[in-house]
Structures are given as C-alpha cells and as structure tokens.
Amino acid sequence: PGAGWRDGVAAYQRGDVATALQVFRPLADQGDREAQYNLGVLYTRGEGVGQDFAEGLKWFRSAAGKGNPLAESALGYAYASGQGVTRDYAEAAKWYRKSAEQGYSAGQAGLAFLYANGHGVTRDYDEAAKWYRQAAEQGYGLAQSGLAELYTRGQGVPTDYAQAAAWYRQSAERGYAQGMAGLGYLYATGKGVPQED
C-alpha cells in the first residue's frame, strides 16, 4: 500500500521534510485534502521548498474546496493578514466562518477577532464572545486571551475581572504573551485578583 498523508506528517515531525514532500505531493495531486493542506503549509513556510505563497495558497484553496477546516482557516488568515494575497477582510470572514462552523478553534478565534474589530463583518461583540468562547473551551490560547479581554471591557459579556483572570491565566499557562500581559495587568491593578507589585 502507498504512503498516506499521516506518513508524511510523521516524516515532517521527525524533521524529514524531504520525505514529507515526497509523500504529500502525489497524494495532493490525486486530490487528498489533508495532503493538499500540508503541502500548502510547506510552501507558505518555505520548508523543503522555496517559500511560495501563491503555490501554498493554491493548495490551501484546493483543500478548502473539499471542506478541510485547517485549510479554510489558513485562507482566512492569508486574507486577514494580506499574506500572499491582497488583504480582504470580507473574504477572510468567509473562510474563517467555514472553518469555525466545523469546530476548528483557529477558525473560530479568527472569526471572533474579525467580529470584535469590525473587519469584514459588522462589529458584534456578542458574536465575538460566542466564537472566542468556543475556541477557548478547546484550549486555544489566543482565544482565551481574546475572551478575557472582552470580560475586562464588558463587551459581549458582563464586565467580570475574575473571569478575565481565569481565561488570561489559561492563555498564559500555554505560553501566550497576550495572556501573560493581561494577567500581569490584572495583578498590577488588583482587578479580579489580589493586587501584587
């Protein structure tokens, strides 16, 4: 039997990018959406190949067209950041939503960010809180700090510094700078936690 995309992932994880490419490329050409996504990652990062956003996005689009939530989120990020394409928040929202609705935490957090800032969608803190919460409950650190920020501002949720501290702490424990900074601010001001210098 031929190698599956998981064999390519295993090769990549042990640092053998050349083998990962050899596994992913034929599978991607045959329409395997996971291999297409992984090939897109290698091209956008420039790992084992020259960095080529256009080629990476081509593979993300192909995988996203088959419903791969990771590829949908990657396209959302590309359009939100203008990485390899002209920045287009409405297009970012479209792809993040597809990913978010499949339960992928990075897609949910991306969509929440767009709602919180009114990029490509009408600003809606209730929607931002909803999507941040779904991603935060899956352990996604950026979403945890995003939700904590909404709690500190009373946007989409009631102002609740204890809740903010709990979410910032979870984010910080995962190594996210936003979580550390937010938790530090709460300790410095004594909001939701005992004040510490």
Side-chain angles (χ1 to χ4, degrees):
W5 67 270
R6 285 187 176 88
D7 297 318
V9 171
Y12 177 82
Q13 289 174 338
R14 62 175 185 268
D16 187 355
V17 178
T19 297
L21 276 166
Q22 289 173 357
V23 171
F24 292 147
R25 187 166 308 278
L27 292 171
D29 288 337
Q30 294 166 22
D32 182 292
R33 72 181 200 167
E34 281 76 20
Q36 290 171 338
Y37 165 73
N38 285 292
L39 199 54
V41 169
L42 295 179
Y43 274 104
T44 56
R45 291 182 182 170
E47 293 185 76
V49 292
Q51 189 173 43
D52 185 338
F53 289 117
E55 186 70 9
L57 291 173
K58 174 189 94 170
W59 289 113
F60 286 153
R61 279 189 189 92
S62 186
K66 294 177 181 72
N68 181 297
L70 284 73
E72 292 164 347
S73 180
L75 284 174
Y77 177 80
Y79 281 107
S81 64
Q83 185 181 68
V85 293
T86 301
R87 178 175 280 155
D88 183 338
Y89 288 120
E91 192 70 8
K94 175 183 104 175
W95 289 110
Y96 275 145
R97 181 175 307 285
K98 287 176 179 281
S99 177
E101 288 175 349
Q102 291 193 67
Y104 184 54
S105 60
Q108 292 167 338
L111 186 59
F113 176 83
L114 296 181
Y115 273 116
N117 292 283
H119 293 317
V121 293
T122 301
R123 178 174 280 163
D124 184 332
Y125 293 120
D126 291 338
E127 280 293 299
K130 174 184 113 175
W131 291 111
Y132 271 144
R133 181 175 306 285
Q134 287 184 34
E137 288 174 350
Q138 292 183 61
Y140 193 64
L142 283 175
Q144 291 166 336
S145 60
L147 183 58
E149 188 172 319
L150 294 181
Y151 273 112
T152 64
R153 296 179 180 177
Q155 295 172 328
V157 291
T159 300
D160 185 333
Y161 293 112
Q163 277 292 313
W167 287 113
Y168 275 139
R169 181 172 283 107
Q170 288 184 49
S171 177
E173 288 171 352
R174 286 176 171 74
Y176 286 89
Q178 297 92 328
M180 294 175 202
L183 190 58
Y185 166 77
L186 294 180
Y187 273 108
T189 58
K191 292 180 177 176
V193 291
Q195 187 168 1
E196 292 183 16
D197 294 326

